[in-house]
Structure formats: structure tokens, C-alpha cells
Amino acid sequence: MSNKYNANKHRGRHIFRFNSKKNGNGINGCGIKIESFLEYCYACIFECDPNIISFASQVETMHSYVAEDEKTNKKTPDFLVQYVDGSSEYIEVHWSKKVDAEYRGKIEHFSNYSSSQGQSRIRIVTELGLTPLIRVNYQLISDCMAQALSFSIEDCELPEHITLNEVIETLSHHTDTPIEEAYYLIGIGYYEFNMSSLLQCDTALIRVSLC
């Protein structure tokens, strides 16, 4: 395996930076290279997932000899994701129509190779289940949410059922950035809503966990 610092340049792909607040120590976060729209959608999901500590794109290239091809092939997984329970995995993002038996076999080969080297296994994810509204909601939340709360959640009297606008109004008594921190509460899973509808000011939220 080898470290990879620059994103691959593929025909028909646009390389751009996703600004991750989760991965950065500073107020401006950290720039992550993204190569496709679907990768961007998953970066937004990772950013919002409270079970994920950090994630990085294309951090390592694997080199493995494939007997049937009689040559050494290489693979660079799209993401490496670190979870709060200490586990990690490589994520390969691909459109479902291109995930056939041959492709799955290739990924399984490199996943087994990575595991044999004491590294993480590779999991394939696709666009299936990610409707346009779900993708927009994740993009909205990840873009608007604060990096962290500036106050203790115990100091607020936030009810179980509330709208986004009411959360913002309540938080305005505790912080100078109530909008960003309201989105943060949604992003970390403190509040949930119906993801099949666009998140708006009058969206009904349900409290599901404590910070």
C-alpha cells in the first residue's frame, strides 16, 4: 500500500474541495478532495453522522497481484471512515448501474487483501435509497451546521416536539449563532425529522437523544 495525496483525475469528473468542519481543528474546518457528485453526497452524510469521528478521501492506494490477470492491480478507495467505537472501514462510492458481479469481485479481492495487511475492509455504497430530497437535506445540514455547540445543552429547555424555527428562537437566548447550532443539533441526531420532506423553518422535529 502507498499513501496518496492527490485525487485521481478521471475523464468526466470534476475535482473540488468539500469543507469538512468535523475533520478540522480550526473554525474553518478542513478541505477534502471530492471527485464526483455522489461522493459529495456521502461526504455530507459522513459530516452529519454522529457515529463517525472523522473521514478522509483517497488516503491510500492498494497494490495487489491478481493471478488471473497475471499483473499487479491497484485500487484507491474513495474514503476512509473512523467510527466512535474505534472501528474503521474504507468506503467505495459507485453508481448502482455500474456495480456488477465483476466489480464486486474486484472490490472483494482488494477488501480481503487490505484485511490481510491489518487494514480496514472495503464497503461499497451507492445512490440507492438516497432520494433527491434526502440528498438536499444532508447537503443543507452539513453546510449550515456549526462545528460544535457553544453552550451546554442542559442549560436549554428544549421540548421533545418542536419546529426548526422554534429551536432557533430558543437558542437565540443562549448563543450568538442560533441558526448554525440548531442545524448542529439536527446533524448530530439530537433532533430528527421526516427526511422525505425538505427541511424548512416550520419542519416538525422530534428529540431522540441527548448530546
Side-chain angles (χ1 to χ4, degrees):
M1 297 187 183
S2 61
N3 291 333
K4 182 177 180 65
Y5 297 101
N6 296 314
N8 282 326
K9 292 186 177 180
H10 297 280
R11 186 183 301 275
R13 288 191 175 186
H14 301 281
I15 300 174
F16 58 96
R17 285 188 177 274
F18 172 81
N19 187 54
S20 171
K21 300 166 187 173
K22 174 174 286 187
N23 290 288
N25 295 321
I27 189 171
N28 294 321
C30 171
I32 295 177
K33 288 184 178 179
I34 303 294
E35 289 192 340
S36 72
F37 172 72
L38 191 56
E39 287 182 24
Y40 168 67
C41 292
Y42 270 97
C44 293
I45 293 172
F46 299 156
E47 187 80 1
C48 296
D49 191 338
N51 295 310
I52 293 177
I53 296 176
S54 63
F55 59 97
S57 63
Q58 300 197 12
V59 296
E60 202 162 32
T61 296
M62 304 174 186
H63 302 267
S64 175
Y65 180 76
V66 181
E68 52 267 32
D69 295 339
E70 295 185 345
K71 65 178 181 180
T72 298
N73 291 339
K74 64 179 181 179
K75 180 63 185 174
T76 306
D78 295 315
F79 293 101
L80 174 61
V81 177
Q82 302 283 344
Y83 295 96
V84 295
D85 64 1
S87 64
S88 65
E89 65 177 347
Y90 288 109
I91 299 292
E92 181 68 10
V93 181
H94 220 59
W95 294 100
S96 59
K97 64 182 180 180
K98 296 183 179 181
V99 179
D100 55 15
E102 180 181 356
Y103 180 77
R104 288 189 181 278
K106 177 181 178 180
I107 296 302
E108 182 66 17
H109 168 82
F110 278 102
S111 183
N112 291 335
Y113 168 75
S114 178
S115 179
S116 71
Q117 300 298 305
Q119 304 294 324
S120 303
R121 295 189 62 83
I122 307 174
R123 179 166 63 93
I124 301 172
V125 298
T126 72
E127 83 288 357
L128 296 180
L130 295 179
T131 65
L133 274 175
I134 289 177
R135 296 198 297 260
V136 168
N137 281 326
Y138 274 120
Q139 293 165 28
L140 176 64
I141 296 167
S142 65
D143 184 56
C144 294
M145 64 188 290
Q147 189 173 12
L149 290 179
S150 63
F151 60 93
S152 174
I153 193 64
E154 287 78 14
D155 296 335
C156 293
E157 296 182 2
L158 290 169
E160 181 178 355
H161 298 274
I162 195 171
T163 66
L164 174 58
N165 190 57
E166 289 169 339
V167 173
I168 295 172
E169 183 178 354
T170 301
L171 296 187
S172 65
H173 302 292
H174 302 273
T175 177
D176 293 330
T177 56
I179 297 176
E180 292 85 348
E181 297 187 51
Y183 278 100
Y184 177 83
L185 290 176
I186 298 173
I188 65 171
Y190 186 85
Y191 278 114
E192 288 186 350
F193 69 100
N194 181 6
M195 289 285 283
S196 63
S197 299
L198 183 64
L199 179 59
Q200 302 181 82
C201 287
D202 60 352
T203 295
L205 307 177
I206 300 176
R207 189 179 68 223
V208 292
S209 65
L210 296 176
C211 293

